[in-house]
Structure formats: structure tokens, C-alpha cells
Amino acid sequence: MIRKERAILALEDGTVYRGYAFGHRGETVGEVVFNTSMTGYQEIMTDPSYNGQIVTITYPHVGNYGVAIYDMESNKPYVRGFISREFSGEYSNHRAQQSLEAFMQQYGVVSIQGIDTRALVRRLREGGVVKGVIAHRSFTHPEDAYGEFTPAEEAVYVGRARDHQDIDGHDMTREVTTALPYAFPTLRHGKRVVLMDFGIKHTIIERLAEVGIEPIVVPAHTTPAQIMALQPHGLFLSNGPGDPAPLEYAHKTAWELMGLLPTFGICLGHQILGLAAGGRTFKMKFGHRGGNQPVKNLLTGNVEITAQNHGYAVDIDSIPNGAFVPTHINLNDGTLEGMAHSRYPVFSVQYHPEASPGPHDSRYLFDRFIEEIDAFDGGTGTPIAKALPGRLGV
């Protein structure tokens, strides 16, 4: 019988799950969420939108195809921790360079396996996301890595989870945004677009370049004057982690540039546009995270299966004067998934149209963005919200 190092997941409500250590040996604390994707664990771990969160994968077996450098969505993992029913110690994939555990050890990702992830996900669905701590026995008791945590020790970790700073009200983009502007190299001349980096994924930049855009990525705190000095043809507001409400500097920038440039927002960028227009956002009970969320395009009637990662949503009814109108809704819970400005070529979606590793139902939005830029640049732009049905469709 193979002995396994012990680990626990302690939640702020007092629940403790006992399992086994995996990845980097240590302790970590964050907001515990779940993702329903069957593949893409590397993309999830390296997505800056997960900064501050411990991610539970609902699929029971994780790691069997290893890790490939080509699948990195940023330069390192941003998850605070990772949870799986079972991690694979072996992998088989011609693209992979290393195992998942070696990758986690290299970048310091603390993980736990062997717990009942179905029970944990049900707890999160019914009670909402909570803060939690993953602790490895070998980190606190190197002399006895295979022993059990005592009830008193477990209580200490429950207290640490309760005392941890909430994501709500905290600006987390400062931890993930680029320090300096940079241009993404392209092989052809295209429309110059400024990408505000609130935690942007590499694949988003690549998709924009594929449709004929020359991306220039700038820090989250870049001012409207600095953006306009770059003489862009368009503006892109990226995805990112945490609560959009504290990002008042971003709301101000989006408001001052609204109508001056064709603008496309994704996820956090979508929420920032809603707040910039005077609307409100709210925290969802457990959010949308996974590659199987059904979204209806209200302009075409088409249904798209989408990749999502968000815990906040825009209240479209709170935006004054009907400045934005809904274009997409989630078919599971009816929450807003997309909107467009009633006067300007400005639109946004709450999900990830770049969808790496998939699905790819929504990639048409990148084509629509370049079409809006071309129309605006030629003086023939029409507000998307007033377009004929099909303008946003395939």
C-alpha cells in the first residue's frame, strides 16, 4: 500500500475536507470556487482572472495529458490553489513537456486531492462561494507527513480562512496587470487597438491579431490622454480578477473614451463598461466557471455554448437612460451575458469568445469588432444595438 502525505481543505464555515497533498508542499488561502470544464486545467491555472481563488475541478481526473508551454495563458499560474478528486502522476501527450505535478511544484501551486469534490461543489452551489485554506501536513509537520491533523489544528485553519481578506471591494488588477506597455508582434499591418490589461489572457491577444488588429497592451491605470496619444483605431477592455466596483480609475477611463473609439469589452471589461455608464454590478452566488454555459444571442436567436469565468454580473436595468441594451443572456439563470451601447459602437460580453481550449461558438465577435473599427474609421459606423438582427450573429 502506497502511503500518501496528508492534507486538508478548511472552509470558513467550519467544514473540513481531509485528503492528500499534491503539487507544491505548503499552505494557501483564497476564495474557493468550482469549474465544470473537462479539459483546460493549464489554461485555468494560468488565467489571471483566477487571481485570489482556489479552483475546484468538477471533472474527477486531472493531469493525464500533462503541461505544454503553448497552452499558457500568462507567464505563470495565478490560482491560489487547486482541488481535484484525483490528480494523475503520469501523462501521455506528444505536446507536453512536463507533468502537472512538476509544473505545480515549479510555480508553487499548493493542491489537494482525494476529497469528495461532488460534496464540495454541492456545498458551494447551495451556500455560495467561501474562503478556504489548503494545508499540507508535510509543511507543518515534516517529521510526520502521513499523520492526521488534530481537531485543534483544523480549527486554526478554519480561523485563518475566516480572517482572510474578501475579494469583494479589493482591487486585484494591480497584482496582474502589465507594468509597462508592449506591442504584440504581427506579420501584417492592421488597425491599431489599445488593449487595457486588467489580467488579459494570451489567447485573446492572439485572436485579435488574427483578425487584422495590431495590439498594443497597456497597464490598467493608463489614462485616456495616454491612450489617445497612441492614435488607436479602437479600444479593448480585457478580462481580469475580482470585484469590478473598486476600479474607479478604469470606470473613468471607459466613460471618457466612450463614443470616441469603437470599444469591445470581455468579462471584467464588460462589467467596467456597465459601471462606467452609471450601472451596478452584483456578486453571484457561485458564478459561472466552465466551458459549457449556454448563451442566447437576442439579435439572432442563436444559442452559443460558451467558456466563462466570472463571479460578478451587470444589472442591465440599473444603467440609466437605456444607454446599453442587452444582446445576450444566460439560458441557465437569465443573467446578462452581453450588451451594446444604443448610440456608440461599443459592445461587450461577459464570457470568453477566445475560448481556449474551447468551445469556439463565439469567435465571430472578434470579426465583428474589426468590422466596427473599419466602419467607424470610414465614417459609416452604426450603433450595434440599432443594427438589423444578424449584425452580431454568424
Side-chain angles (χ1 to χ4, degrees):
M1 179 178 178
I2 299 177
R3 300 180 71 192
K4 297 181 179 180
E5 298 179 23
R6 304 297 299 189
I8 61 169
L9 168 66
L11 304 182
E12 62 177 310
D13 65 0
T15 306
V16 177
Y17 297 88
R18 300 169 184 87
Y20 305 100
F22 191 81
H24 177 74
R25 300 308 193 256
E27 299 176 4
T28 190
V29 58
E31 183 181 74
V32 182
V33 301
F34 66 90
N35 187 298
T36 58
S37 297
M38 296 177 66
T39 60
Y41 49 81
Q42 183 181 350
E43 290 89 339
I44 292 168
M45 280 193 288
T46 56
D47 180 352
S49 297
Y50 282 107
N51 183 40
Q53 294 177 325
I54 296 173
V55 180
T56 307
I57 293 294
T58 61
Y59 194 68
H61 193 67
V62 176
N64 60 311
Y65 59 83
V67 171
I69 191 173
Y70 316 104
D71 297 329
M72 298 283 284
E73 289 293 352
S74 61
N75 295 329
K76 66 176 183 178
Y78 278 94
V79 294
R80 292 284 171 86
F82 220 59
I83 302 169
S84 173
R85 180 69 182 89
E86 180 184 359
F87 286 109
S88 174
E90 304 293 333
Y91 68 94
S92 178
N93 179 2
H94 70 95
R95 297 175 67 252
Q97 286 87 34
Q98 63 183 148
S99 69
L100 177 58
E101 183 162 35
F103 178 76
M104 289 179 170
Q105 291 171 343
Q106 177 181 349
Y107 288 103
V109 180
V110 179
S111 306
I112 185 173
Q113 67 173 334
I115 71 171
D116 187 346
T117 51
R118 293 176 299 177
L120 174 58
V121 170
R122 177 173 292 182
R123 159 67 187 81
L124 299 177
R125 285 182 61 89
E126 294 177 352
V129 297
V130 293
K131 294 176 291 183
V133 173
I134 297 175
H136 289 174
R137 177 83 177 175
S138 59
F139 183 71
T140 56
H141 298 77
E143 75 288 351
D144 183 18
Y146 306 102
E148 300 285 352
F149 286 88
T150 67
E153 290 172 331
E154 292 177 349
V156 169
Y157 289 114
V158 169
R160 290 184 185 177
R162 290 173 181 161
D163 295 339
H164 183 63
Q165 182 183 43
D166 287 332
I167 285 180
D168 300 3
H170 178 53
D171 181 357
M172 304 196 70
T173 64
R174 298 174 184 270
E175 302 173 11
V176 301
T177 188
T178 181
L180 296 170
Y182 64 92
F184 182 82
T186 59
L187 298 178
R188 56 179 177 174
H189 179 73
K191 299 291 185 179
R192 181 181 304 148
V193 172
V194 169
L195 282 56
M196 295 193 71
D197 177 15
F198 303 113
I200 198 166
K201 295 170 62 178
H202 289 169
T203 307
I204 292 177
I205 305 175
E206 294 167 2
R207 295 290 175 266
L208 290 168
E210 285 175 2
V211 298
I213 283 173
E214 292 183 9
I216 299 178
V217 184
V218 300
H221 286 79
T222 304
T223 66
Q226 290 171 327
I227 290 174
M228 295 305 292
L230 295 171
Q231 298 182 340
H233 297 94
L235 176 67
F236 180 85
L237 307 180
S238 85
N239 63 293
D243 186 353
L247 279 60
E248 295 182 358
Y249 55 89
H251 310 166
K252 183 175 183 291
T253 297
W255 170 251
E256 292 186 7
L257 295 179
M258 200 172 295
L260 297 181
L261 295 169
T263 302
F264 182 18
I266 286 179
C267 293
L268 185 64
H270 161 84
Q271 298 161 9
I272 287 170
L273 284 172
L275 291 166
R280 295 188 302 271
T281 55
F282 61 92
K283 187 167 187 176
M284 307 172 75
K285 189 175 183 180
F286 51 83
H288 298 155
R289 297 176 181 88
N292 52 3
Q293 290 285 330
V295 168
K296 183 175 183 178
N297 183 326
L298 299 178
L299 299 181
T300 66
N302 293 340
V303 174
E304 307 161 20
I305 304 302
T306 65
Q308 302 200 13
N309 168 25
H310 64 100
Y312 297 82
V314 174
D315 177 4
I316 189 69
D317 294 329
S318 70
I319 299 178
N321 305 318
F324 278 94
V325 298
T327 58
H328 300 76
I329 60 168
N330 188 286
L331 290 179
N332 284 336
D333 58 17
T335 53
L336 182 72
E337 293 283 7
M339 62 184 186
H341 201 280
S342 58
R343 294 178 56 197
Y344 306 129
V346 177
F347 68 104
S348 60
V349 292
Q350 182 61 81
Y351 50 93
H352 281 265
E354 83 289 348
S356 177
H360 301 149
D361 297 18
S362 304
R363 281 192 177 179
Y364 67 86
L365 290 165
F366 293 103
D367 295 316
R368 293 300 178 258
F369 185 36
I370 193 66
E371 288 174 8
E372 291 302 319
I373 292 174
D374 289 339
F376 187 85
D377 197 39
T380 60
T382 302
I384 296 173
K386 293 183 178 180
L388 294 173
R391 183 73 176 277
L392 277 181
V394 292

